[in-house]
Coordinates of all heavy atoms in Angstrom, one line a residue:
Chain A
E68 N 180.2 93.0 41.2 CA 180.2 92.5 42.6 C 181.0 91.3 42.8 O 181.8 91.2 43.8 CB 178.8 92.3 43.1 CG 178.7 92.6 44.6 CD 177.4 92.2 45.2 OE1 176.4 92.0 44.4 OE2 177.3 92.0 46.4
Q71 N 184.6 91.4 44.1 CA 184.9 91.9 45.4 C 185.2 90.7 46.3 O 185.7 91.0 47.4 CB 183.8 92.8 45.9 CG 183.6 94.0 45.0 CD 182.4 94.8 45.5 OE1 181.7 94.4 46.5 NE2 182.2 95.9 45.0
Y72 N 184.8 89.6 46.0 CA 184.9 88.5 46.9 C 186.2 87.7 46.9 O 186.8 87.6 45.8 CB 183.8 87.5 46.7 CG 182.5 88.1 47.2 CD1 181.7 88.8 46.3 CD2 182.0 88.0 48.5 CE1 180.5 89.4 46.7 CE2 180.9 88.6 48.9 CZ 180.2 89.3 48.0 OH 179.0 89.9 48.4
K73 N 186.7 87.3 48.1 CA 188.0 86.8 48.2 C 188.2 85.5 47.3 O 189.1 85.3 46.7 CB 188.3 86.5 49.6 CG 189.7 86.6 50.1 CD 190.0 86.7 51.5 CE 190.1 85.4 52.2 NZ 189.9 85.5 53.7
R74 N 187.1 84.7 47.4 CA 187.2 83.4 46.7 C 187.3 83.6 45.2 O 188.1 82.9 44.5 CB 186.0 82.5 47.0 CG 186.2 81.7 48.2 CD 185.2 80.5 48.1 NE 185.9 79.3 47.5 CZ 186.3 78.3 48.3 NH1 186.3 78.5 49.6 NH2 186.9 77.3 47.8
T75 N 186.5 84.6 44.7 CA 186.6 85.0 43.3 C 188.0 85.3 42.9 O 188.5 84.9 41.9 CB 185.6 86.1 43.0 OG1 184.4 85.8 43.6 CG2 185.4 86.1 41.5
Q76 N 188.6 86.2 43.7 CA 189.9 86.7 43.4 C 190.9 85.6 43.5 O 191.8 85.5 42.6 CB 190.3 87.8 44.5 CG 189.4 89.1 44.3 CD 189.4 89.8 45.6 OE1 190.1 89.6 46.6 NE2 188.7 91.0 45.6
R78 N 190.3 82.5 42.9 CA 190.0 81.7 41.7 C 190.8 82.3 40.5 O 191.5 81.6 39.7 CB 188.6 81.6 41.3 CG 187.8 80.4 41.8 CD 188.4 79.1 41.6 NE 188.1 78.4 40.4 CZ 186.9 77.7 40.3 NH1 186.1 77.6 41.2 NH2 186.7 77.0 39.1
L79 N 190.6 83.7 40.3 CA 191.3 84.4 39.3 C 192.8 84.2 39.3 O 193.5 83.9 38.3 CB 190.9 85.8 39.2 CG 189.5 86.2 38.7 CD1 189.1 87.6 39.0 CD2 189.5 85.9 37.1
L80 N 193.3 84.3 40.5 CA 194.8 84.2 40.7 C 195.2 82.7 40.4 O 196.3 82.5 39.8 CB 195.2 84.5 42.1 CG 195.4 86.0 42.4 CD1 195.8 86.2 43.8 CD2 196.4 86.6 41.4
L83 N 195.3 82.4 36.8 CA 196.5 83.1 36.3 C 197.8 82.1 36.4 O 198.6 81.9 35.6 CB 196.8 84.4 37.0 CG 198.0 85.2 36.6 CD1 197.9 85.6 35.1 CD2 198.2 86.4 37.5
Y139 N 192.9 66.3 23.1 CA 192.1 66.2 24.2 C 191.1 65.0 24.1 O 191.1 64.2 24.9 CB 191.3 67.5 24.5 CG 190.5 67.4 25.7 CD1 191.0 67.2 27.0 CD2 189.1 67.6 25.7 CE1 190.1 67.1 28.1 CE2 188.3 67.6 26.7 CZ 188.8 67.4 28.0 OH 188.0 67.3 29.1
V140 N 190.5 65.0 23.0 CA 189.4 64.0 22.7 C 190.1 62.6 22.5 O 189.7 61.6 23.0 CB 188.5 64.4 21.6 CG1 187.6 63.2 21.2 CG2 187.7 65.6 21.8
G144 N 192.3 62.8 27.5 CA 191.0 63.1 28.0 C 191.0 63.4 29.5 O 190.2 64.2 30.0
D145 N 192.0 62.8 30.2 CA 192.0 63.1 31.7 C 193.1 64.2 32.1 O 193.2 64.4 33.2 CB 192.3 61.8 32.5 CG 193.4 61.1 31.9 OD1 193.9 61.4 30.8 OD2 193.9 60.1 32.5
I225 N 188.7 75.8 26.0 CA 187.9 75.0 25.2 C 187.9 73.5 25.7 O 187.0 72.7 25.5 CB 188.4 75.1 23.7 CG1 187.9 76.4 23.1 CG2 187.9 73.9 22.9 CD1 188.4 76.7 21.8
I226 N 189.1 73.1 26.3 CA 189.2 71.7 26.8 C 189.1 71.7 28.3 O 189.7 70.9 28.9 CB 190.4 71.1 26.2 CG1 191.6 71.9 26.5 CG2 190.3 70.8 24.7 CD1 192.9 71.2 26.2
T227 N 188.5 72.7 28.9 CA 188.3 72.8 30.4 C 189.5 72.8 31.2 O 189.6 72.3 32.3 CB 187.4 71.6 30.9 OG1 188.2 70.4 30.8 CG2 186.2 71.4 30.1
Y233 N 189.2 80.6 31.4 CA 188.2 79.7 31.8 C 187.5 80.2 33.1 O 186.3 80.1 33.2 CB 188.9 78.3 32.0 CG 187.9 77.3 32.6 CD1 187.2 76.4 31.7 CD2 187.7 77.1 34.0 CE1 186.3 75.5 32.2 CE2 186.8 76.1 34.5 CZ 186.1 75.3 33.5 OH 185.3 74.4 34.0
K236 N 185.3 83.1 32.4 CA 184.1 82.7 31.8 C 183.1 82.0 32.8 O 181.9 82.2 32.7 CB 184.3 81.6 30.7 CG 183.3 81.6 29.6 CD 183.8 80.9 28.4 CE 182.8 80.1 27.7 NZ 182.6 78.7 28.1
L237 N 183.7 81.2 33.7 CA 182.9 80.7 34.8 C 182.2 81.7 35.6 O 181.0 81.7 35.9 CB 183.7 79.8 35.7 CG 183.0 79.1 36.8 CD1 182.1 78.0 36.3 CD2 184.1 78.4 37.7
I238 N 183.0 82.8 36.0 CA 182.4 83.8 36.8 C 181.3 84.5 36.0 O 180.2 84.8 36.5 CB 183.6 84.9 37.2 CG1 184.6 84.2 38.1 CG2 183.0 86.1 37.8 CD1 185.8 85.1 38.3
G240 N 179.4 83.3 33.7 CA 178.3 82.4 33.4 C 177.5 82.1 34.7 O 176.4 81.6 34.6
T241 N 178.1 82.4 35.8 CA 177.3 82.0 37.1 C 176.8 83.2 37.8 O 176.3 83.1 38.9 CB 178.1 81.2 38.0 OG1 179.4 81.9 38.2 CG2 178.5 79.8 37.5
S243 N 174.1 85.9 37.6 CA 173.0 86.5 36.8 C 172.6 87.8 37.5 O 172.3 87.8 38.7 CB 171.8 85.5 36.8 OG 171.8 84.6 37.8
T244 N 172.7 88.8 36.7 CA 172.2 90.1 37.2 C 171.0 90.6 36.4 O 170.7 90.0 35.4 CB 173.4 91.2 37.1 OG1 173.5 91.5 35.7 CG2 174.7 90.6 37.5
A245 N 170.5 91.7 36.9 CA 169.3 92.3 36.2 C 169.6 92.5 34.8 O 168.6 92.4 33.9 CB 168.9 93.5 36.9
E246 N 170.8 92.8 34.3 CA 171.1 93.2 33.0 C 171.7 92.0 32.2 O 172.3 92.2 31.2 CB 172.0 94.4 32.9 CG 171.3 95.7 33.4 CD 170.2 96.1 32.4 OE1 170.2 95.7 31.3 OE2 169.5 97.1 32.8
G247 N 171.6 90.8 32.8 CA 172.3 89.7 32.0 C 173.6 89.3 32.7 O 173.7 89.5 33.9
Y248 N 174.4 88.7 31.9 CA 175.6 88.1 32.5 C 176.9 89.0 32.2 O 177.0 89.6 31.2 CB 175.8 86.7 32.0 CG 174.8 85.8 32.4 CD1 173.5 85.7 31.7 CD2 175.0 85.0 33.5 CE1 172.5 84.9 32.2 CE2 173.9 84.1 34.0 CZ 172.7 84.1 33.3 OH 171.7 83.4 33.8
Y250 N 179.7 89.4 30.9 CA 180.8 89.0 30.1 C 181.7 90.2 29.8 O 183.0 90.1 29.8 CB 180.2 88.5 28.7 CG 179.7 87.1 28.8 CD1 178.3 86.8 28.9 CD2 180.6 86.0 28.9 CE1 177.9 85.6 29.1 CE2 180.2 84.7 29.1 CZ 178.8 84.5 29.2 OH 178.4 83.2 29.4
V260 N 195.2 92.0 32.2 CA 196.2 91.1 32.7 C 197.0 90.4 31.6 O 198.3 90.4 31.6 CB 195.6 89.9 33.5 CG1 196.5 89.0 34.1 CG2 194.7 90.5 34.7
G263 N 199.1 93.1 29.9 CA 200.3 93.4 30.8 C 201.4 92.4 30.6 O 202.5 92.7 30.5
L266 N 203.0 92.5 27.2 CA 203.9 93.7 27.0 C 205.1 93.5 27.8 O 206.2 94.0 27.4 CB 203.1 95.0 27.6 CG 202.1 95.6 26.6 CD1 201.4 96.8 27.1 CD2 202.8 96.0 25.2
A267 N 205.0 92.9 29.0 CA 206.2 92.7 29.8 C 207.2 91.9 29.1 O 208.4 92.1 29.1 CB 205.9 92.1 31.2
G270 N 208.5 93.7 26.2 CA 209.5 94.7 26.8 C 210.8 94.1 27.1 O 211.9 94.6 26.8
R273 N 212.7 93.7 23.9 CA 213.3 95.0 23.4 C 214.6 95.3 24.3 O 215.6 95.8 23.8 CB 212.3 96.1 23.6 CG 211.5 96.4 22.3 CD 210.9 97.7 22.3 NE 210.0 97.9 23.5 CZ 208.8 97.5 23.4 NH1 208.2 97.0 22.4 NH2 208.0 97.6 24.5
W274 N 214.5 95.0 25.6 CA 215.6 95.3 26.5 C 216.8 94.5 26.2 O 217.9 95.0 26.0 CB 215.1 95.0 28.0 CG 216.2 95.3 29.0 CD1 216.6 96.6 29.4 CD2 216.9 94.4 29.8 NE1 217.6 96.4 30.3 CE2 217.7 95.1 30.6 CE3 216.9 92.9 29.8 CZ2 218.6 94.5 31.4 CZ3 217.7 92.3 30.7 CH2 218.6 93.1 31.5
Chain C
M25 N 211.2 104.2 25.4 CA 211.2 102.7 25.5 C 211.1 102.4 27.0 O 210.3 101.5 27.4 CB 212.5 102.2 24.9 CG 212.3 100.7 24.5 SD 213.8 100.2 23.6 CE 213.4 100.9 22.0
R28 N 207.7 103.0 28.3 CA 206.7 102.0 27.9 C 206.8 100.7 28.7 O 205.8 100.1 29.1 CB 206.9 101.7 26.4 CG 205.7 101.2 25.7 CD 205.9 100.8 24.3 NE 206.3 101.9 23.5 CZ 206.8 101.7 22.2 NH1 206.8 100.5 21.7 NH2 207.1 102.7 21.5
R29 N 208.0 100.4 29.0 CA 208.3 99.1 29.8 C 207.8 99.3 31.2 O 207.1 98.4 31.7 CB 209.8 98.9 29.9 CG 210.1 97.4 30.0 CD 211.6 97.2 29.7 NE 212.4 97.9 30.7 CZ 213.5 98.7 30.4 NH1 213.8 98.9 29.2 NH2 214.1 99.3 31.4
A32 N 204.1 99.1 31.2 CA 203.6 97.6 31.1 C 203.7 97.0 32.5 O 202.7 96.4 32.9 CB 204.4 96.9 30.1
A39 N 196.9 95.3 37.8 CA 195.9 94.3 37.6 C 196.0 93.2 38.6 O 194.9 92.8 39.2 CB 196.1 93.7 36.2
L40 N 197.2 92.8 39.0 CA 197.3 91.8 40.0 C 196.8 92.2 41.4 O 196.1 91.5 42.0 CB 198.8 91.3 40.1 CG 199.2 90.4 39.0 CD1 200.7 90.0 39.2 CD2 198.4 89.2 38.9
V43 N 193.2 92.5 41.8 CA 192.6 91.2 42.0 C 192.9 90.6 43.4 O 192.0 90.0 44.0 CB 193.1 90.1 40.9 CG1 192.8 88.7 41.3 CG2 192.5 90.5 39.5
A45 N 193.7 92.3 46.2 CA 193.5 93.1 47.4 C 192.0 92.9 47.9 O 191.1 92.5 47.1 CB 193.7 94.5 47.1
C46 N 191.8 93.4 49.1 CA 190.5 93.6 49.7 C 189.4 92.6 49.2 O 188.6 92.9 48.4 CB 190.0 95.0 49.4 SG 189.8 95.4 47.7
G47 N 189.4 91.5 49.8 CA 188.3 90.6 49.4 C 187.3 90.3 50.5 O 187.6 90.4 51.7
K48 N 186.1 90.2 50.1 CA 185.0 89.9 51.0 C 184.8 88.4 51.0 O 185.1 87.7 50.1 CB 183.7 90.6 50.5 CG 183.6 92.0 50.8 CD 182.2 92.5 50.6 CE 182.0 93.3 49.4 NZ 180.6 93.7 49.2
D49 N 184.3 87.9 52.1 CA 183.8 86.5 52.2 C 182.4 86.4 51.8 O 181.7 87.4 51.6 CB 184.1 85.9 53.6 CG 185.6 85.7 53.9 OD1 186.2 85.2 53.0 OD2 186.0 86.1 55.0
G50 N 181.9 85.1 51.7 CA 180.5 84.9 51.4 C 180.3 85.1 49.9 O 181.2 84.9 49.1
S51 N 179.0 85.3 49.5 CA 178.8 85.4 48.1 C 177.7 86.5 47.9 O 176.9 86.8 48.7 CB 178.2 84.0 47.6 OG 176.9 83.9 47.9
P52 N 177.7 87.1 46.6 CA 176.8 88.2 46.4 C 175.4 87.7 46.3 O 175.1 86.6 45.7 CB 177.3 88.6 45.0 CG 178.1 87.6 44.4 CD 178.7 86.7 45.5
A92 N 178.3 73.7 36.1 CA 178.5 74.8 37.0 C 177.6 75.9 36.9 O 177.6 76.8 37.7 CB 180.0 75.2 37.0
D93 N 176.9 76.0 35.8 CA 176.2 77.3 35.4 C 174.8 77.1 35.2 O 174.2 77.9 34.5 CB 176.9 77.9 34.2 CG 176.8 77.1 33.0 OD1 176.4 75.9 33.1 OD2 177.0 77.6 31.9
F99 N 175.1 74.1 40.0 CA 175.5 75.5 40.0 C 176.7 75.6 40.9 O 176.7 75.1 42.1 CB 174.3 76.4 40.6 CG 174.6 77.8 40.4 CD1 174.5 78.5 39.3 CD2 174.9 78.6 41.6 CE1 174.7 79.9 39.2 CE2 175.2 79.9 41.5 CZ 175.1 80.6 40.3
E100 N 177.7 76.4 40.5 CA 178.8 76.7 41.4 C 178.8 78.2 41.7 O 178.9 78.9 40.7 CB 180.1 76.2 40.7 CG 181.3 76.5 41.7 CD 182.7 76.2 41.0 OE1 182.7 76.0 39.9 OE2 183.6 76.4 41.8
V102 N 180.9 80.9 42.5 CA 182.4 81.1 42.5 C 182.8 81.9 43.8 O 183.8 81.6 44.4 CB 182.8 81.9 41.2 CG1 184.3 82.1 41.3 CG2 182.4 81.1 40.0
A103 N 182.0 82.9 44.1 CA 182.3 83.7 45.3 C 182.5 82.9 46.6 O 183.4 83.2 47.4 CB 181.4 84.9 45.4
S104 N 181.6 81.9 46.8 CA 181.6 81.2 48.0 C 182.2 79.8 47.8 O 182.5 79.1 48.8 CB 180.2 81.1 48.6 OG 179.5 80.3 47.8
G105 N 182.4 79.4 46.5 CA 183.0 78.1 46.3 C 182.1 76.9 46.5 O 182.5 75.8 46.5
T133 N 183.9 70.5 36.9 CA 182.9 71.1 35.9 C 183.3 70.5 34.6 O 184.5 70.6 34.1 CB 183.0 72.6 35.9 OG1 182.8 73.0 37.3 CG2 181.9 73.1 35.0
P135 N 181.8 70.5 30.6 CA 180.7 71.0 29.7 C 180.1 69.9 28.9 O 180.8 68.8 28.8 CB 181.4 72.0 28.8 CG 182.9 71.6 28.9 CD 183.1 71.0 30.2
N138 N 182.1 67.6 26.4 CA 183.2 66.7 26.9 C 182.8 65.6 27.8 O 183.6 65.0 28.3 CB 184.3 67.6 27.6 CG 184.9 68.6 26.7 OD1 184.8 68.5 25.4 ND2 185.3 69.7 27.3
G145 N 187.4 58.5 29.7 CA 188.8 58.7 30.0 C 189.2 58.6 31.4 O 190.4 58.8 31.8
E147 N 188.3 60.8 33.8 CA 188.6 62.1 34.4 C 187.6 62.2 35.6 O 188.0 62.9 36.6 CB 188.4 63.2 33.4 CG 188.9 64.5 33.8 CD 188.7 65.6 32.7 OE1 188.5 65.2 31.5 OE2 188.6 66.7 33.1
D222 N 178.7 77.3 24.0 CA 179.0 76.1 24.9 C 178.3 76.2 26.2 O 178.4 75.3 26.9 CB 180.4 75.7 24.9 CG 181.4 76.9 24.9 OD1 181.3 77.7 25.8 OD2 182.2 76.8 24.0
S225 N 174.2 80.0 29.8 CA 174.3 81.4 30.2 C 174.5 82.3 29.1 O 173.9 83.4 29.0 CB 175.3 81.6 31.3 OG 175.5 80.5 32.1
Q226 N 175.3 81.9 28.1 CA 175.6 82.7 27.0 C 174.3 82.9 26.2 O 174.0 84.0 25.7 CB 176.7 82.1 26.1 CG 178.1 82.3 26.7 CD 179.1 81.4 26.0 OE1 179.1 80.2 26.2 NE2 180.1 81.9 25.3
V228 N 171.2 82.7 27.4 CA 170.2 83.5 28.1 C 170.6 85.0 28.0 O 169.8 85.8 27.9 CB 170.2 83.0 29.6 CG1 169.3 84.0 30.4 CG2 169.6 81.6 29.7
D229 N 171.9 85.2 28.0 CA 172.4 86.6 27.9 C 171.9 87.1 26.5 O 171.5 88.3 26.4 CB 173.9 86.6 27.9 CG 174.4 88.1 28.1 OD1 174.3 88.6 29.1 OD2 175.1 88.6 27.1
L232 N 168.3 87.9 26.7 CA 168.0 89.1 27.4 C 168.3 90.4 26.5 O 167.6 91.3 26.7 CB 168.9 89.2 28.7 CG 168.4 88.3 29.8 CD1 169.5 88.1 30.9 CD2 167.1 88.7 30.4
Y249 N 166.6 79.3 35.1 CA 166.9 80.6 34.7 C 165.7 81.6 34.8 O 165.8 82.7 35.2 CB 167.3 80.5 33.2 CG 168.7 80.1 33.0 CD1 169.0 78.8 32.5 CD2 169.8 80.9 33.4 CE1 170.3 78.4 32.4 CE2 171.1 80.5 33.2 CZ 171.3 79.3 32.7 OH 172.6 78.8 32.6
K252 N 165.5 83.1 38.0 CA 166.5 84.2 38.2 C 166.0 85.5 37.6 O 166.4 86.6 38.1 CB 167.8 83.8 37.5 CG 168.6 82.8 38.2 CD 169.4 83.4 39.2 CE 170.2 82.3 40.0 NZ 170.9 82.9 41.2
Y253 N 165.2 85.5 36.6 CA 164.6 86.7 35.9 C 163.1 86.6 35.9 O 162.6 86.6 34.8 CB 165.2 86.8 34.5 CG 166.7 87.0 34.5 CD1 167.6 86.0 34.2 CD2 167.2 88.3 34.8 CE1 168.9 86.2 34.3 CE2 168.6 88.5 34.8 CZ 169.4 87.4 34.5 OH 170.8 87.7 34.5
K256 N 161.4 89.2 33.5 CA 161.8 89.3 32.1 C 161.6 88.0 31.3 O 161.4 88.1 30.2 CB 163.3 89.6 32.1 CG 163.6 91.0 32.6 CD 165.0 91.4 32.4 CE 165.3 92.8 32.8 NZ 166.7 93.1 33.0

Side-chain angles (χ1 to χ4, degrees):
Chain A
E68 212 189 343
Q71 297 175 356
Y72 289 88
K73 211 161 89 199
R74 271 201 98 98
T75 317
Q76 296 161 359
R78 265 315 266 279
L79 282 167
L80 279 180
L83 183 61
Y139 179 61
V140 175
D145 50 349
I225 284 175
I226 54 169
T227 71
Y233 177 92
K236 203 164 149 267
L237 179 69
I238 293 169
T241 50
S243 22
T244 73
E246 292 290 346
Y248 293 82
Y250 285 102
V260 179
L266 280 179
R273 268 198 303 274
W274 180 70
Chain C
M25 206 170 281
R28 206 184 294 172
R29 210 168 61 228
L40 283 180
V43 166
C46 62
K48 286 196 254 176
D49 286 315
S51 83
D93 61 347
F99 188 77
E100 182 185 5
V102 180
S104 68
T133 308
N138 299 336
E147 197 182 332
D222 38 51
S225 326
Q226 282 164 296
V228 175
D229 193 71
L232 286 167
Y249 284 105
K252 287 274 178 189
Y253 296 100
K256 290 183 176 165

